[in-house]
Amino acid sequence: MKDYLIKDSWKVIEDSLHTEYNLVSESIASLGNGRLGGRGNFEEKFDGPTLRGSYIAGIYYPDKTKVGWWKNGYPEYFAKVINSVNWIGIDVWVGDYDYEMRSDGVVDFYAELDMREGVLRRTTISELPDGKQIKIESERFYSMCDKDQCYLKYTVTALNFSGKVSLAPYLDFNVRNTDSNYDEMFWNHLGNSAEQDFSYVSAETKKTHFRVTAGMISKYYINEKELRKQKEFSTQEGLVSHNLEVSLEEGDRFTVEKYCCITTSLYHDQENLESICRSQLAKASKDGYVAAYEKHKNEWSKIWSVCDIVIEGDPAAQQGIRFNIFQLYQTYTGDDARLNIGPKGFTGEKYGGVTYWDTEAYCIPFYLGTADSDVARNLLKYRYHHLDNAIKNASKLGFNNGAALFPMVTMNGEECHNEWEITFEEIHRNGAIAYAIYDYIKYTGDQKYLAEYGLEVLIAIARFWKQRVNWSEDKQRFVILGVTGPNEYENNVNNNWYTNYIASWCLHYTAESIKWVQQNHKSDYDRITDKTQLDAQNEPKRWQAIIDGMYYPEDKERQVFLQQDGFLDKELVPAEEIPDGEYPIHQHWSWDRILRSCFIKQADVLQGLYFFEDQFNKETIKRNFDFYEPLTVHESSLSPCVHSILAASIGRKEKAYEMYLRTARLDLDDYNNDTKDGLHITSMAGTWMALVKGFGGMRIKENHLIFNPFIPDKWTSYSFKIKFRGSVLQLTVTHEDINMINHSPNQISVVLAGEEKIIYPKEIKTTILTA
């Protein structure tokens, strides 16, 4: 755990250079706009550790699989969102000295990620080998309004000398992924050009043939007065550069504004990328940097007006939740159903930027509560559009009759993960996708989605489960063998409780959905049954037999559900007995030792109790929580939020707060020593859930919003807004009372602390809390 960042409510501040943590800082300072993004690298050369990263959503490369030995069924490639054009780069010359920011030459350093306005700023004072001192000030952002555009303002001040300084902004497409399996360049260069008013560089991905053109216009100023001098140009393969040298007097400020546009064949005709880029930049340059900044800032203001969460009395908690919300909206804005949410977003290369089950289990609830319902609908449609490939994935493994196994990892619906225990055993992801359909409909009331898209997905998933179970003569029950649950510290187990339970639930939900669509959308029902060749009389009967006969491992003496068969054969030692120097255990222990231990990366059973809370009484949840929580090391980023929500629901307020702080500050404090690889974007949605569903006690029951809130002792108050079926409600909780404000033009009925209330437009309802 690291504690070097200043805790500010709206900013993440590093007030001195921590070279040893620079990879962590680069991840934390990442920026994006849902379409483009990049790590918080320095613009100039730097002598410390760095991972230069610039990424474009939806553009990927199928990197050929690299394994020790091949097994039938392995995917041929691992899809990767690839490192793209370096648009932020600037070379600095002071006289004849090619400036590099050197750790031993930094006199003063300050960097801030301004989350309110979506901008990264930095000030560095450096002393050069000859004693000259320069101050560098930089500011950059990815426009939230004009999604192809990004902006940079960079100033060098001569502090104690007079002399020549040159600034050379550039675009560089000579980039390589550090995680390339075969150290391969993923881009082919197509061309470049440099002119006074516009320069560009173009490239195309190998194999997938995505085209990208990045353009640049630069404006130079001395002491805020624009210079009209002619720039020098340089072109090399994959690179264009501008350069302007000026003579500065001591105290003069030399500034370059860098306007960049990155156009792609995802959104534009590939033959016109250069002209589109040129046109966009001409307008951006005419409007100016300040105008672009104001538009961008105002767009962030609109986002924060709905999704902000205010915490009084706890700066660490406040900074944490805003940082999580900020990164989520930088990663995904919901306007393109072809895109999804990579676990690292635009912050690093690990996990390849591809889609996992995290989206359905964690991110959809966040977007349901903070955005228009179309955003979550697009995330569901992403899976619907990949259904044919999910069926193909299952057929490669021997499943038939339209059974679908959605990929563990994907960009286009094809499976592209090649660790056996993940790819072929973590089949619970099918359940999370089905649950997301249920969750979306329950929240929005959009039953029509079931008829239009959802039922086809559910039928294919149900057919998979029907074929994946087998009858055990020994147990006289249906079992599911050879799986890995969400807890990846146990592989190839039999009868994982969570997997068995969600499989049974999927079968039940699908059967009920078939009946509903038949009764309410007959034309859609006929279309679906014809397309899927559904035997509506007999298939649900076979599913019901599995539901009735499913085996669930449990310990009758302790009255808890077991992670899987044989879990009690392990030595049950609480995680608190692990020596401090051995955390995280996956970085210190052998895999064999981890698999034989009782320690849990994330508790499968508690994941199931979180999803299906209404199907278990409080005592059952308490017993299972008290059994599994001490064994859990939370080395999955997805773990603490579920623990926080369940702890809140059973009255364990201190544990709920502890787990909330862990999920909220997971990356800021680098709990698991892995922030350097990129942020944990999808689990950040779990932070929002921990507060809203945990402390706020928000649930949806019988089409009603329900809140049973409490407030952590350390906080003075907290407040958040919720979008629900056309209404916007704001809940504020203090130690004395609960206030609910209806910001919508229509009245709404809610259950607040056990009491049903009708709240009229602009009305405030107050409930007094008793000690």
Side-chain angles (χ1 to χ4, degrees):
M1 181 174 170
K2 300 174 178 64
D3 186 16
Y4 70 99
L5 300 171
I6 304 300
K7 296 175 178 64
D8 180 273
S9 61
W10 275 108
K11 296 176 180 179
V12 180
I13 297 170
E14 186 177 359
D15 64 352
S16 61
L17 180 64
H18 297 83
T19 303
E20 71 277 21
Y21 298 151
N22 191 61
L23 289 171
V24 175
S25 297
E26 286 183 346
S27 296
I28 290 171
S30 296
L31 292 174
N33 64 8
R35 189 179 295 183
L36 309 170
R39 288 170 60 83
N41 309 120
F42 301 132
E43 292 85 357
E44 66 275 7
K45 299 181 184 74
F46 175 57
D47 74 339
T50 184
L51 169 60
R52 189 164 289 280
S54 175
Y55 310 101
I56 304 173
I59 291 183
Y60 68 95
Y61 179 81
D63 200 10
K64 184 174 172 55
T65 295
K66 190 172 186 178
V67 294
W69 62 91
W70 194 267
K71 292 187 175 78
N72 286 336
Y74 264 159
E76 295 181 359
Y77 67 89
F78 189 98
K80 291 173 179 174
V81 170
I82 52 181
N83 212 332
S84 181
V85 59
N86 172 14
W87 72 271
I88 69 169
I90 295 180
D91 286 333
V92 181
W93 290 79
V94 181
D96 294 328
Y97 179 71
D98 184 1
Y99 173 72
E100 176 183 56
M101 190 170 84
R102 302 184 60 85
S103 307
D104 58 4
V106 172
V107 176
D108 195 23
F109 180 90
Y110 176 90
E112 67 175 32
L113 177 67
D114 186 332
M115 299 180 288
R116 190 198 299 268
E117 298 184 358
V119 63
L120 178 63
R121 304 185 185 94
R122 173 173 60 94
T123 300
T124 305
I125 296 177
S126 290
E127 184 169 281
L128 310 186
D130 62 0
K132 294 176 182 175
Q133 289 191 351
I134 60 171
K135 179 166 73 171
I136 292 174
E137 299 166 276
S138 69
E139 175 182 276
R140 70 175 184 257
F141 62 93
Y142 290 82
S143 174
M144 291 295 284
C145 306
D146 301 301
K147 295 297 185 71
D148 294 337
Q149 296 174 23
C150 29
Y151 295 80
L152 167 61
K153 186 176 183 180
Y154 190 92
T155 298
V156 174
T157 302
L159 293 181
N160 64 349
F161 70 96
S162 297
K164 291 182 177 180
V165 174
S166 65
L167 295 179
Y170 59 85
L171 300 173
D172 186 5
F173 236 127
N174 296 290
V175 290
R176 186 186 304 270
N177 275 49
T178 59
D179 66 348
S180 170
N181 284 340
Y182 297 92
D183 198 31
E184 181 182 7
M185 286 280 288
F186 297 156
W187 296 96
N188 286 320
H189 298 132
L190 298 180
N192 57 24
S193 177
E195 307 168 14
Q196 281 294 325
D197 295 327
F198 175 72
S199 300
Y200 77 90
V201 58
S202 293
E204 182 180 72
T205 57
K206 299 177 180 178
K207 298 182 182 179
T208 46
H209 304 294
F210 294 107
R211 287 195 180 182
V212 175
T213 293
M216 171 177 68
I217 288 178
S218 58
K219 294 183 180 181
Y220 289 89
Y221 304 80
I222 289 183
N223 299 327
E224 284 69 55
K225 182 178 180 180
E226 186 171 1
L227 301 174
R228 300 296 182 180
K229 298 174 65 174
Q230 294 289 304
K231 300 182 281 282
E232 295 180 1
F233 300 100
S234 174
T235 61
Q236 302 172 31
E237 186 177 24
L239 184 145
V240 293
S241 176
H242 297 174
N243 185 28
L244 184 64
E245 182 181 74
V246 297
S247 294
L248 298 183
E249 298 297 323
E250 183 175 328
D252 279 350
R253 294 164 49 83
F254 182 28
T255 299
V256 62
E257 291 177 351
K258 188 175 182 181
Y259 300 73
C260 291
C261 180
I262 301 174
T263 55
T264 77
S265 56
L266 270 179
Y267 296 99
H268 307 287
D269 178 65
Q270 66 179 21
E271 302 303 323
N272 296 323
L273 294 182
E274 179 191 338
S275 62
I276 293 169
C277 196
R278 183 188 295 268
S279 175
Q280 286 197 36
L281 283 178
K283 183 179 186 307
S285 176
K286 181 180 179 182
D287 293 343
Y289 182 91
V290 172
Y293 183 90
E294 287 298 314
K295 284 175 60 181
H296 166 77
K297 182 177 71 171
N298 290 339
E299 189 64 26
W300 267 112
S301 180
K302 293 176 187 176
I303 293 170
W304 285 118
S305 70
V306 175
C307 71
D308 188 25
I309 293 178
V310 180
I311 298 171
E312 299 289 347
D314 190 345
Q318 176 66 89
Q319 184 186 53
I321 188 63
R322 281 188 175 139
F323 180 71
N324 283 243
I325 293 169
F326 176 69
Q327 291 295 347
L328 280 161
Y329 268 99
Q330 289 199 128
T331 304
Y332 185 79
T333 55
D335 55 359
D336 187 344
R338 296 174 299 175
L339 302 181
N340 209 284
I341 306 163
K344 295 294 182 187
F346 300 120
T347 72
E349 296 174 11
K350 191 174 181 181
Y351 302 127
V354 290
T355 299
Y356 285 69
W357 67 284
D358 309 17
T359 291
E360 282 75 25
Y362 296 84
C363 297
I364 281 181
F366 167 77
Y367 288 104
L368 282 172
T370 65
D372 292 340
S373 61
D374 285 349
V375 174
R377 206 175 204 264
N378 275 344
L379 288 171
L380 294 181
K381 285 167 66 177
Y382 177 89
R383 295 294 191 179
Y384 173 80
H385 292 317
H386 290 169
L387 178 57
D388 287 345
N389 273 334
I391 293 171
K392 291 177 184 177
N393 292 336
S395 68
K396 292 176 183 177
L397 303 180
F399 297 89
N400 54 42
N401 192 36
L405 177 59
F406 280 90
M408 185 66 184
V409 168
T410 194
M411 283 296 299
N412 62 3
E414 294 179 320
E415 178 63 75
C416 58
H417 195 288
N418 50 41
E419 292 180 35
W420 185 272
E421 66 274 16
I422 305 297
T423 308
F424 306 111
E425 294 182 356
E426 281 204 47
I427 55 176
H428 64 84
R429 74 247 194 187
N430 257 10
I433 291 166
Y435 185 86
I437 295 171
Y438 161 80
D439 200 27
Y440 166 81
I441 293 171
K442 182 174 71 168
Y443 195 96
T444 64
D446 181 13
Q447 291 276 11
K448 191 177 180 182
Y449 182 84
L450 198 58
E452 289 180 333
Y453 303 104
L455 184 57
E456 286 182 54
V457 173
L458 293 174
I459 290 170
I461 288 174
R463 286 172 167 172
F464 170 83
W465 289 123
K466 189 267 177 186
Q467 296 174 49
R468 188 59 171 80
V469 305
N470 63 271
W471 178 257
S472 167
E473 286 292 335
D474 176 63
K475 290 182 170 61
Q476 287 294 293
R477 310 294 288 177
F478 286 100
V479 296
I480 304 181
L481 308 178
V483 302
T484 296
N487 173 33
E488 294 170 344
Y489 285 176
E490 292 170 312
N491 302 149
N492 197 29
V493 302
N494 294 334
N495 295 310
N496 173 263
W497 182 88
Y498 170 69
T499 303
N500 287 22
Y501 197 92
I502 205 165
S504 180
W505 176 85
C506 285
L507 294 170
H508 175 76
Y509 181 53
T510 304
E512 291 297 309
S513 298
I514 290 170
K515 292 178 184 176
W516 187 88
V517 173
Q518 182 181 24
Q519 294 169 3
N520 295 278
H521 291 269
K522 188 62 167 59
S523 61
D524 283 306
Y525 174 80
D526 292 339
R527 171 182 58 83
I528 293 167
T529 53
D530 180 64
K531 182 178 179 180
T532 63
Q533 295 297 292
L534 176 71
D535 182 350
Q537 294 299 315
N538 294 310
E539 282 191 75
K541 290 180 181 178
R542 291 192 285 269
W543 300 343
Q544 188 61 47
I546 296 171
I547 295 167
D548 295 338
M550 184 68 80
Y551 167 73
Y552 303 105
E554 62 178 312
D555 177 7
K556 294 187 182 299
E557 182 178 339
R558 292 182 177 86
Q559 294 184 288
V560 297
F561 307 120
L562 294 180
Q563 291 264 106
Q564 71 271 335
D565 284 347
F567 184 77
L568 293 180
D569 292 336
K570 295 172 180 278
E571 182 183 4
L572 301 181
V573 180
E576 65 183 13
E577 295 189 14
I578 300 173
D580 288 342
E582 297 181 16
Y583 279 106
I585 61 173
H586 75 272
Q587 295 179 11
H588 294 87
W589 290 13
S590 70
W591 195 244
D592 168 73
R593 184 181 179 188
I594 290 173
L595 292 177
R596 288 186 288 107
S597 79
C598 67
F599 300 121
I600 298 168
K601 189 179 182 183
Q602 66 181 103
D604 300 352
V605 169
L606 299 191
Q607 180 75 37
L609 294 177
Y610 157 66
F611 270 168
F612 304 110
E613 180 185 36
D614 288 347
Q615 299 179 24
F616 303 94
N617 59 44
K618 291 291 185 187
E619 290 305 313
T620 298
I621 296 173
K622 285 179 182 178
R623 285 194 302 271
N624 282 276
F625 185 89
D626 291 341
F627 180 70
Y628 285 109
E629 194 281 326
L631 305 177
T632 304
V633 291
H634 302 293
E635 291 176 13
S636 164
S637 65
L638 304 174
S639 181
C641 62
V642 169
H643 282 251
S644 183
I645 295 167
L646 288 180
S649 73
I650 59 176
R652 307 287 167 76
K653 296 182 180 181
E654 291 184 6
K655 179 59 69 173
Y657 174 77
E658 174 194 339
M659 290 292 101
Y660 165 80
L661 208 59
R662 179 165 183 141
T663 186
R665 299 194 62 83
L666 178 73
D667 290 310
L668 290 171
D669 294 340
D670 197 14
Y671 269 90
N672 289 334
N673 195 33
D674 59 1
T675 304
K676 64 181 182 295
D677 299 324
L679 305 178
H680 297 83
I681 300 298
T682 47
S683 72
M684 289 178 171
T687 302
W688 179 89
M689 293 195 302
L691 196 146
V692 173
K693 293 188 174 185
F695 303 153
M698 189 199 81
R699 302 291 189 274
I700 311 295
K701 293 182 181 178
E702 298 177 353
N703 295 312
H704 274 77
L705 264 179
I706 297 173
F707 297 92
N708 285 299
F710 76 90
I711 183 169
D713 292 339
K714 191 174 181 178
W715 297 1
T716 304
S717 68
Y718 67 91
S719 178
F720 61 82
K721 290 178 181 176
I722 284 290
K723 282 194 168 188
F724 180 70
R725 301 190 184 185
S727 297
V728 179
L729 298 170
Q730 182 175 349
L731 180 75
T732 301
V733 183
T734 71
H735 291 280
E736 291 76 38
D737 55 34
I738 307 165
N739 287 298
M740 177 71 75
I741 306 174
N742 183 359
H743 290 283
S744 308
N746 50 293
Q747 70 183 52
I748 186 170
S749 174
V750 301
V751 178
L752 191 59
E755 182 181 353
E756 185 172 354
K757 297 177 181 289
I758 296 176
I759 308 178
Y760 294 96
K762 310 304 178 185
E763 184 182 19
I764 302 175
K765 289 285 189 180
T766 301
T767 297
I768 305 299
L769 295 176
T770 57

